[in-house]
Amino acid sequence: MADQLHHDNQDGWVGKEPYWKDAVFYQVYPASFKDSNGDGWGDIPGLISELDYLRDLGVDVVWLSPMFESPQKDMGYDISDYQAVYDRYGTLADVDTLIASCHDRNMKLILDLVVNHTSDEHPWFKESRSSKTNPKRDWYIWKPARYDPDGNRIPPTNWRSYFAGPTWTWDDNTQEYYLHLYGSFQPDLNWENPSCREAIYQDTMRFWLDRGVDGFRIDTVNKYSKRTDFPDAPITFPGQPNQPAAEMWCNGPRIHEFIREMQEKVLTPYNHALSVGELSNTPLPSQVLPYVSAANRELDMVFEFSMIRLGTGGAFHGKYLYQPYPLSELKAHVATWQTFLEGTDAWHTVFCENHDNGRAVSRFGDTSSHKNWEGSAKTIALWQGTLTGTLFLYQGQEIGMMNMPRGWGIEEYKDCESMGFYEEAVASGDQDRIAKTMDGLRILARDHSRLPFQWDGSANAGFTGENVVPWMRVHDSAFEDGLNVKAQKEDEESVLGFYKTVLKLRKEYGELFVHGAFRHLLPEDEALFVYVKEGVESGRRALVVLNFSAEEQALSSRGVTVARALGCEEGEEARLLITTLRERERLGIESPERLRPWEGRVYVNFAEGA
């Protein structure tokens, strides 16, 4: 990109391209990946046993979701000891082995950094709530009560938490409220306190960097700086006691100062350890740029959520009241963040799954039949694999894992957020709201991504022993239609085989797919997603044509021809680089005009005879 600065491992933000731009990252949710000891819970030794699988897939960096000591009320995002490992995951020695095993395979490992909040069982919070004069009192955010005209005690503000309910919980011992943006068991740390910040850097970052980890995915990275005047939020949901208030804590007044300090004091001294931030409620490129501008020296890249949040009813009230959307809206979000990079010194991420969302093939694809499932899973792979930025995959995405079957009841949902919204709907007594919330959960709930990984077709899908009760129910699809690793390894044209091919092509044509400029074609079309990628230096071009529908579609009827879209000059020809179709289905593909249901193709311009 024009005027782009980069940082390398020795000389700061100048020089060669850093490794993480071209790398493929793979998120492991450890509880659900592989159980090595038969207790029904995934663990670090289980992950170590499958590192060769990840290497063979084409993974360069493993991102391990929280495995720290925790009461597990929010699956490890409520940490009670940053320097210990939750015993069901293993030991510190196991983590050391994991680090060494990744490095032995020329892979890197990053951990989840959760430092907006701790568990209420963390020693810091126990000290903080012990008395108003404790030295750690100001490491969390405490405020006195307010009182309504009738003398009833009410919270300091009317803010609503992400998990439903207020952001404040009353503490009887010290007679004040503490702030928590998430669950009441997750009190927010006070980043305004420099001693607290230094403890975060030392205990949660340097400790693990000293053990050899290569960086961090940084949870809730833009929520550390709150508005310290603590005003009430505007009433946007009349009649509700708690109101959405993300503007009170997202992208706050000192946030860039805090992140630069983290970079300068910790990440830069450790060979510019990798940093990728979770940047929620920040939908404008002008808001995102300061976080990832190389000149600002804050974060290497961030996750921006406009596209992956499609279908939700908002982050607060009614989040799981599903809102249908057209393909053109999805494409507009993708185009915004693809063109965001042009003319800047910024970098971005490419992803469509993670631990906080439903499965991509169930949300953006089609699971109505085995044929449509396979076609749409491959089309999603081709879409993700040809976008500019650093690619992140989530465990099971590479085999097309799906959402829970719709027939499963609420008893199969374990997530604290899912249950909070469902219980809120039940408490309303509104049967229509209850039904619509359940329907939304079936599409969007975080639980879907947390089902056990499907290794084979045996009982419990090879995730754990056949006579073990896993912590979450294994998906029925593990036992049929070849939706598991073992079956797909035996089929080179499976979804897994296709992902391997796409990842190889992504690296082979890195100038086009990882670094290329994006040009959107047919932005208003509601069936076809079509775009051109162009190498900034070579001028080589790729045309990506994706049929996001269960109907046959014709390019010619849209006025698009492959050669013209590629800008083929004299002496050049358009060649098919890859298609989602199996070999037996490719008869007649020489004609690029018609795409079959859920078919994707990529064409590249080549010199004739080359």
Side-chain angles (χ1 to χ4, degrees):
M1 304 302 165
D3 303 319
Q4 195 161 16
L5 299 172
H6 311 298
H7 70 33
D8 61 24
N9 285 338
Q10 276 76 40
D11 302 317
W13 270 260
V14 291
K16 65 184 180 181
E17 293 279 10
Y19 76 88
W20 41 261
K21 289 193 174 184
D22 294 89
V24 173
F25 285 65
Y26 186 98
Q27 182 186 358
V28 170
Y29 198 75
S32 301
F33 191 64
K34 186 68 175 286
D35 171 23
S36 71
N37 61 5
D39 67 352
W41 186 277
D43 47 46
I44 294 168
L47 167 57
I48 294 169
S49 73
E50 296 295 348
L51 286 178
D52 287 339
Y53 165 76
L54 298 183
R55 181 195 59 194
D56 294 344
L57 174 62
V59 171
D60 302 295
V61 184
V62 176
W63 155 23
L64 181 60
S65 289
M67 76 302 168
F68 313 101
E69 185 63 58
S70 166
Q72 299 295 329
K73 293 180 181 178
D74 187 18
M75 291 304 296
Y77 285 90
D78 52 324
I79 298 170
S80 56
D81 187 342
Y82 288 101
Q83 298 183 4
V85 177
Y86 181 56
D87 60 0
R88 295 187 77 177
Y89 288 134
T91 65
L92 276 175
D94 290 329
V95 179
D96 291 339
T97 300
L98 174 62
I99 294 168
S101 299
C102 285
H103 292 169
D104 287 346
R105 291 163 174 81
N106 200 29
M107 298 163 67
K108 298 183 183 293
L109 177 71
I110 65 171
L111 302 183
D112 236 304
L113 181 66
V114 185
V115 290
N116 176 73
H117 49 266
T118 68
S119 166
D120 59 0
E121 296 183 24
H122 195 288
W124 294 349
F125 188 68
K126 289 181 178 180
E127 285 193 55
S128 184
R129 77 188 313 177
S130 66
S131 76
K132 291 182 180 179
T133 59
N134 186 279
K136 289 188 173 62
R137 179 66 171 184
D138 195 39
W139 284 30
Y140 295 83
I141 300 171
W142 295 91
K143 292 294 173 187
R146 297 188 297 177
Y147 294 88
D148 67 17
D150 296 324
N152 299 308
R153 187 184 73 222
I154 58 174
T157 70
N158 66 346
W159 303 349
R160 176 186 168 99
S161 80
Y162 285 99
F163 290 170
T167 59
W168 300 93
T169 290
W170 178 253
D171 179 62
D172 279 329
N173 184 48
T174 56
Q175 296 289 293
E176 284 191 329
Y177 285 91
Y178 63 86
L179 180 72
H180 51 88
L181 301 186
Y182 295 90
S184 61
F185 53 88
Q186 294 166 299
D188 275 45
L189 288 160
N190 181 17
W191 276 70
E192 298 287 331
N193 184 308
S195 297
C196 178
R197 296 202 304 276
E198 182 54 37
I200 289 169
Y201 302 151
Q202 183 62 34
D203 288 14
T204 76
M205 300 180 74
R206 295 188 188 109
F207 176 84
W208 291 103
L209 291 167
D210 284 338
R211 300 187 88 91
V213 303
D214 300 289
F216 302 97
R217 175 266 187 184
I218 308 177
D219 189 62
T220 61
V221 75
N222 59 331
K223 297 176 182 174
Y224 307 154
S225 175
K226 281 78 170 175
R227 282 201 38 186
T228 55
D229 53 344
F230 295 98
D232 272 344
I235 305 298
T236 54
F237 285 84
Q240 297 292 329
N242 306 303
Q243 300 294 316
E247 69 276 11
M248 304 298 176
W249 60 71
C250 282
N251 312 311
R254 297 185 66 189
I255 190 63
H256 296 290
E257 173 192 344
F258 292 156
I259 296 175
R260 279 194 295 271
E261 181 182 84
M262 177 192 290
Q263 180 65 244
E264 292 165 4
K265 287 191 172 184
V266 185
L267 298 171
T268 295
Y270 281 87
N271 258 358
H272 297 288
L274 177 75
S275 57
V276 53
E278 180 190 32
L279 200 71
S280 61
N281 300 303
T282 310
L284 302 177
S286 60
Q287 298 172 308
V288 173
L289 183 60
Y291 289 96
V292 291
S293 163
N296 277 16
R297 302 191 178 200
E298 293 188 21
L299 301 169
D300 294 323
M301 48 190 163
V302 296
F303 298 116
E304 193 283 325
F305 294 101
S306 296
M307 187 278 293
I308 204 171
R309 297 295 192 216
L310 284 172
T312 60
F316 297 94
H317 295 85
K319 177 177 180 178
Y320 290 106
L321 300 179
Y322 184 72
Q323 305 294 316
Y325 58 88
L327 177 64
S328 56
E329 187 175 351
L330 180 151
K331 295 193 295 183
H333 286 304
V334 172
T336 293
W337 297 106
Q338 287 290 284
T339 57
F340 160 69
L341 298 178
E342 295 180 10
T344 75
D345 63 348
W347 194 245
H348 206 54
T349 56
V350 176
F351 69 103
C352 65
E353 283 198 29
N354 62 26
H355 63 292
D356 282 336
N357 292 276
R359 289 290 184 175
V361 73
S362 296
R363 297 182 59 202
F364 309 122
D366 184 347
T367 59
S368 62
S369 68
H370 184 271
K371 186 176 181 62
N372 286 351
W373 160 77
E374 181 177 292
S376 61
K378 290 179 176 180
T379 296
I380 289 168
L382 204 52
W383 164 42
Q384 294 290 287
T386 56
L387 292 179
T388 297
T390 297
L391 178 61
F392 284 76
L393 302 179
Y394 180 74
Q395 66 181 44
Q397 180 179 339
E398 76 277 13
I399 60 170
M401 281 185 66
M402 302 184 292
N403 280 359
M404 297 179 183
R406 292 188 63 85
W408 287 14
I410 191 63
E411 68 277 2
E412 302 295 350
Y413 291 73
K414 312 294 185 186
D415 176 47
C416 58
E417 182 184 76
S418 298
M419 296 312 301
F421 277 87
Y422 182 77
E423 289 166 3
E424 185 179 50
V426 171
S428 74
D430 184 336
Q431 295 302 311
D432 183 61
R433 181 180 175 187
I434 295 170
K436 287 181 177 178
T437 298
M438 191 66 219
D439 187 62
L441 288 170
R442 290 186 176 109
I443 302 169
L444 302 167
R446 307 197 301 181
D447 304 79
H448 300 298
S449 63
R450 304 175 183 190
L451 296 187
F453 192 95
Q454 295 164 202
W455 292 103
D456 59 39
S458 66
N460 288 327
F463 162 71
T464 188
E466 295 191 6
N467 298 317
V468 177
V469 177
W471 80 278
M472 285 193 82
R473 182 176 171 182
V474 173
H475 200 297
D476 300 338
S477 68
F479 316 117
E480 57 189 36
D481 296 332
L483 212 165
N484 61 71
V485 170
K486 184 177 185 293
Q488 293 191 27
K489 274 187 173 181
E490 297 169 356
D491 177 3
E492 291 183 355
E493 294 189 298
S494 66
V495 174
L496 176 60
F498 189 77
Y499 262 94
K500 289 180 179 180
T501 299
V502 168
L503 296 183
K504 287 176 183 176
L505 288 175
R506 179 173 175 81
K507 291 180 178 178
E508 182 180 350
Y509 293 85
E511 188 203 17
L512 278 177
F513 300 139
V514 180
H515 299 275
F518 175 97
R519 181 160 57 89
H520 203 178
L521 303 181
L522 306 177
E524 302 304 319
D525 198 283
E526 301 299 354
L528 292 183
F529 193 172
V530 184
Y531 49 91
V532 172
K533 298 296 297 296
E534 183 169 359
V536 175
E537 296 180 2
S538 70
R540 167 160 274 177
R541 294 169 295 278
L543 174 67
V544 182
V545 187
L546 308 172
N547 183 359
F548 267 68
S549 80
E551 307 294 332
E552 188 175 90
Q553 303 292 336
L555 265 180
S556 56
S557 65
R558 276 93 165 166
V560 175
T561 66
V562 174
R564 188 184 309 129
L566 283 174
C568 287
E569 300 174 357
E570 186 175 352
E572 288 186 331
E573 61 181 358
R575 293 186 193 169
L576 180 67
L577 183 67
I578 186 173
T579 172
T580 57
L581 296 180
R582 287 177 173 264
E583 186 174 3
R584 66 176 182 271
E585 300 172 315
R586 295 176 191 173
L587 185 64
I589 202 170
E590 300 80 22
S591 170
E593 302 304 326
R594 305 193 72 80
L595 283 93
R596 299 176 197 184
W598 289 109
E599 179 188 350
R601 301 178 191 170
V602 177
Y603 293 91
V604 177
N605 63 318
F606 284 90
E608 292 180 356

